[in-house]
């Protein structure tokens, strides 16, 4: 995934957060580790095995899981920094 695709992915998630699975509002570090290490989820970016899990808080849909492989996580994080997102 390149930075342009990552920025598009971030825009899509913001526009339609229901594409992501609902996450618990009080997810802690143990929940993130369990989802990333003990569960089998595809990377939203490339479809490979997700190794990173974060919770994205959507104003319209509440907390949502964002599952990414390590490579896509780095590209999405960089694109988020470049576009001024949080």
């Amino acid at each position: 995934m390149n930075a342009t695709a990552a920025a598009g992915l971030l825009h899509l998630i913001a526009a339609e957060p229901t594409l992501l699975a609902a996450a618990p509002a009080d997810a802690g570090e143990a929940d993130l580790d369990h989802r990333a290490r003990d569960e089998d989820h595809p990377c939203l970016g490339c479809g490979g095995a997700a190794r990173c899990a974060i919770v994205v808080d959507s104003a319209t849909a509440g907390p949502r899981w964002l599952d990414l492989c390590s490579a896509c996580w780095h590209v999405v994080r960089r694109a988020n920094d470049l576009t001024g997102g949080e």
Side-chain angles (χ1 to χ4, degrees):
M1 178 183 333
N2 60 38
T4 301
L9 176 64
L10 291 169
H11 177 74
L12 177 62
I13 291 167
E16 190 52 58
T18 58
L19 294 173
L20 305 174
D26 60 349
E29 200 66 35
D31 299 307
L32 297 172
D33 286 343
H34 175 75
R35 185 166 177 95
R37 295 176 190 199
D38 300 330
E39 296 182 13
D40 185 25
H41 298 281
C43 171
L44 187 63
C46 70
R51 296 290 178 243
C52 304
I54 61 169
V55 176
V56 177
D57 193 17
S58 165
T60 59
R64 298 290 171 159
W65 286 114
L66 177 57
D67 302 299
L68 297 166
C69 69
S70 295
C72 287
W73 163 244
H74 289 293
V75 176
V76 167
R77 195 172 87 188
R78 193 172 337 126
N80 191 49
D81 290 344
L82 292 174
T83 59
E86 295 196 23

